[in-house]
Amino acid sequence: MNIIININRRTAIAVACIALVFAVTGASANNPVAPKVPDLSVVKASPETAPAVAPGQTQSATHPSATIEPPVQSMPIETGLKARPLTSRAKPAQGLAAGEGRVLFPYGQSQPTVTCAPLHICVVTLMPGEKINNLSIGDSVRWLVQTSQAGDSPIVIIKPTESGIGTNLVVSTNRQRVYYLILESSATKYQPQVGFYDAAEMTTHFNHNENEELSRSLAPGKIDPANLDFNYSCDSSGGDDFMPSRVFSGNGHLYLQMPASMKNGDAPAIFNISTGSTELINHRYDPTKGYFVVDGTPSKLKLIVGNKDGNRSVTCARNTQ
């Protein structure tokens, strides 16, 4: 009897537990509890907690109130180029003053720099008998260039629009010459006229009639020795190889007897410096006799040979005593 009663109690307890479980389960299904979501409207993203945003992407909608620092704007890059005075390893060309503000450079033996100024023009005179085939300038915006003709010599007219700028100019001619000039502008100085001379051409290109006339003028008996003036002396400045061995005047000409060593080197150009300025003077050379014949009898003249290392010269003058 006791055994039956104990079994019934246990059965009742088990049934009660099962009923309680079903009661709790049913209540949870009928009244689900929503999870508590934190309010993100008051949350401000910090550099430590804000999600990384790739370049070119916008902030995710999951955090609408998070603040993102704007991307740093890079400074604009200036693409305009400003011309600057050009430099070269070549030594500056030594120009010769030729009167009326002109400066002469030896062609092919120097790299001239021409200084111009705004509101002024520079005139570059090429050698006689040439025609310009082509002209090119590095900066065609701030430098104005045009060509013209002066007698049988072509000229190039140059004008800068502002100071402190530089460029280069190349001119080719029908005589297979190429002129290369460096241009620079200055507000305080400029060269109004620039020209060129070809020392080799001046001393080696003679026509048949000139050679005959020169030979006749130097022939024995044409000059009276009694009328010759040998009172000249010469000083060299690096030009020992073309220093005249004898200088004398007579019959309206000046004669320079050149050394034999000149045949192996460059022939000099001859300039009259008697008046205080440097002026190219007419002269001829007879290679058979080794004489320069200068028109007139200047009291002081200079023989010049120019190259990439500068000018070498010999100065000859009539002795005053």
Side-chain angles (χ1 to χ4, degrees), residues 177-261:
R177 290 195 180 109
V178 178
Y179 297 84
Y180 186 96
L181 298 91
I182 296 175
L183 305 180
E184 63 180 17
S185 65
S186 172
T188 58
K189 58 182 180 179
Y190 79 106
Q191 296 167 298
Q193 297 185 67
V194 173
F196 291 87
Y197 66 91
D198 191 336
E201 182 179 82
M202 287 163 42
T203 56
T204 60
H205 292 275
F206 303 103
N207 59 42
H208 182 68
N209 293 332
E210 288 177 333
N211 282 333
E212 288 185 349
E213 180 183 355
L214 180 60
S215 298
R216 287 195 301 268
S217 66
L218 294 176
K222 294 293 182 181
I223 300 176
D224 185 358
N227 296 328
L228 297 181
D229 183 2
F230 290 89
N231 193 23
Y232 289 84
S233 60
C234 298
D235 294 322
S236 173
S237 178
D240 294 342
D241 55 326
F242 57 90
M243 175 180 281
S245 57
R246 182 180 300 172
V247 179
F248 58 92
S249 61
N251 199 26
H253 294 84
L254 187 67
Y255 300 90
L256 293 83
Q257 184 178 359
M258 306 304 294
S261 59

Side-chain angles (χ1 to χ4, degrees), residues 260-291:
S261 59
M262 196 192 75
K263 297 180 180 180
N264 301 323
D266 295 328
I270 302 178
F271 296 87
N272 180 11
I273 58 175
S274 302
T275 60
S277 61
T278 305
E279 299 177 352
L280 190 63
I281 192 171
N282 292 332
H283 59 278
R284 299 172 297 279
Y285 180 67
D286 184 355
T288 61
K289 296 182 174 61
Y291 274 88

Side-chain angles (χ1 to χ4, degrees), residues 13 17 28 46 59 94-95 116 118 156 165 176 189 195 207 216:
I13 291 171
C17 290
S28 300
S46 63
Q59 177 69 20
Q94 301 294 325
C116 303
V156 180
I165 59 176
Q176 299 182 351
K189 58 182 180 179
N207 59 42
R216 287 195 301 268

Side-chain angles (χ1 to χ4, degrees), residues 27-43:
S28 300
N30 294 330
N31 299 303
V33 179
K36 186 176 180 181
V37 179
D39 186 5
L40 297 179
S41 61
V42 296
V43 178

